[in-house]
């Protein structure tokens, strides 16, 4: 599997697990994050998406220079229903994090809530804790978004 | 106890103990990666993670929501080991160029079956936030 298709569409975090996916030709699978960190990221993404009914995706890497516009372009292709998608784009080299919410997701995740999550993420990133910041930001976002109407008990 | 025995017991054993502990703690880790520090360049290829499709939302089975980007297969995750790269995806390599540069003018969704399923869709007025550190 080459790199390019992965960037046209996201992939799951544990896709790179050695039990699931023995892709040795690609090089080091845990080059960026260790397997333990990947498992944390994967669980955070999956659980927050399951709880909220929104679709959280995480991009880690360089963003082209108008980072906001690039993140919005990525968001537009992040899934089949970008309206309900939330993209968290982290560029550690540029020290930028962008959270993009679709129209449907923005109703449950107002910009103020996103700004709060971004604030907690950046304070963790400034300490060098990428994975911890991402996981906490995801937790904050999913707490704010709550459960979808179909899952609410009453 | 002779002098040699005394030395061995009271100096040799503690020294050996300390050496073993030092070796255990200071030995280079099996997979010690350079820790990210703010301000240093990020020299990794971009990655994009998504949640597991089978668990998205509480509505209906997963394949409708998942990364059904492989042509001819409604359930295929693009990075899945069960569905390796399809011939149609090869077209991406020629067109996509250097991965993350989603060039601001490339709204052309007419290359490759995989991207056709992934073509940018209007998501209404976008919200969100931005932060730097």
């Amino acid at each position: 599997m080459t790199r390019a298709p992965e960037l046209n569409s996201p992939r799951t975090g544990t896709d790179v697990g050695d039990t699931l996916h023995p892709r040795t030709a690609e090089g080091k699978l845990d080059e960026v994050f260790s397997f333990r960190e990947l498992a944390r990221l994967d669980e955070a993404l999956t659980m927050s998406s399951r709880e909220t009914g929104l679709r959280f995706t995480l991009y880690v890497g360089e963003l082209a220079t108008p980072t906001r516009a690039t993140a919005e372009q990525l968001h537009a292709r992040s899934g089949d229903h970008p309206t309900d998608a939330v993209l968290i784009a982290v560029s550690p080299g540029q020290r930028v994090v962008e959270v993009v919410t679709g129209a449907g997701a923005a109703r449950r995740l107002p910009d103020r809530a996103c700004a709060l999550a971004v604030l907690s993420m950046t304070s963790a990133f400034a300490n060098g804790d990428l994975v911890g910041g991402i996981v906490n930001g995801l937790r904050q976002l999913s707490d704010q978004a709550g459960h979808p109407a179909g899952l609410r008990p009453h | 106890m002779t002098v040699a025995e005394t030395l061995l017991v009271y100096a040799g054993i503690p020294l050996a103990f300390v050496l073993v502990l030092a070796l255990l703690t200071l030995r280079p880790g099996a997979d010690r990666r350079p820790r990210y520090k703010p301000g240093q360049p990020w020299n990794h290829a971009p990655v994009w993670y998504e949640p597991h499709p089978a668990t998205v939302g509480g509505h209906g089975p997963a394949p409708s929501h998942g990364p059904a980007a492989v042509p001819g297969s409604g359930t295929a995750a693009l990075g899945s080991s069960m569905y390796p790269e399809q011939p149609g995806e090869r077209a991406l390599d020629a067109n996509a160029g250097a991965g993350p540069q989603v060039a601001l003018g490339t709204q052309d969704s007419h290359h490759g079956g995989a991207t056709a399923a992934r073509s940018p869709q209007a998501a209404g007025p976008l919200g969100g936030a931005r932060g730097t550190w």
Side-chain angles (χ1 to χ4, degrees), chain A residues 3-149:
Chain A
R3 283 284 181 191
E6 288 166 11
L7 291 166
N8 283 322
S9 64
R11 64 174 184 182
T12 58
T14 49
D15 231 2
V16 298
D18 41 358
T19 54
L20 251 182
H21 207 101
R23 291 185 306 186
T24 49
E26 196 184 279
K28 286 200 67 164
L29 297 169
D30 56 343
E31 183 196 345
V32 184
F33 301 118
S34 69
F35 286 124
R36 187 184 301 254
E37 292 171 327
L38 283 174
R40 281 183 71 196
L41 287 180
D42 188 50
E43 187 183 358
L45 276 178
T46 305
M47 291 310 288
S48 46
S49 297
R50 181 195 290 181
E51 278 181 13
T52 60
L54 304 175
R55 181 178 162 83
F56 288 91
T57 58
L58 168 69
Y59 176 91
V60 182
E62 207 75 11
L63 292 165
T65 34
T67 52
R68 187 72 202 170
T70 312
E72 286 174 357
Q73 296 252 338
L74 286 173
H75 175 269
R77 59 178 68 213
S78 68
D80 295 335
H81 306 287
T83 325
D84 285 331
V86 179
L87 170 75
I88 301 174
V90 183
S91 175
Q94 296 160 299
R95 295 205 241 176
V96 169
V97 56
E98 301 272 4
V99 174
V100 186
T101 54
R107 268 183 295 151
R108 293 167 56 198
L109 279 175
D111 288 357
R112 277 192 301 171
C114 295
L116 200 59
V118 162
L119 190 66
S120 79
M121 281 195 266
T122 51
S123 65
F125 295 160
N127 289 325
D129 188 10
L130 281 181
V131 176
I134 291 166
V135 169
N136 269 330
L138 274 170
R139 180 180 302 147
Q140 219 165 323
L141 286 174
S142 63
D143 279 353
Q144 170 67 36
H147 297 300

Side-chain angles (χ1 to χ4, degrees), chain B:
Chain B
M1 239 171 18
T2 65
V3 176
E5 274 179 334
T6 312
L7 272 180
L8 212 65
V9 168
Y10 288 103
I13 291 177
L15 204 66
F17 191 66
V18 165
L19 276 179
V20 165
L21 284 188
L23 217 67
L24 283 180
T25 49
L26 299 181
R27 126 195 99 123
D31 62 336
R32 180 166 292 177
R33 68 200 64 245
R35 187 180 155 83
Y36 167 73
K37 297 186 194 69
Q40 74 187 15
W42 184 258
N43 295 321
H44 303 292
V47 281
W48 195 358
Y49 301 111
E50 70 174 353
H52 278 281
T55 58
V56 173
H59 43 82
S64 62
H65 219 103
V70 175
S73 166
T75 57
L78 200 50
S80 166
S81 58
M82 295 177 63
Y83 298 91
E85 191 169 11
Q86 304 287 309
E89 292 172 40
R90 294 282 181 196
L92 289 176
D93 294 351
N95 286 329
Q101 321 300 347
V102 184
L104 296 181
T106 51
Q107 294 286 348
D108 52 336
S109 56
H110 299 296
H111 49 97
T115 27
R118 281 291 184 186
S119 59
Q121 304 171 43
L126 297 173
R130 176 178 205 273
T132 55
W133 69 91

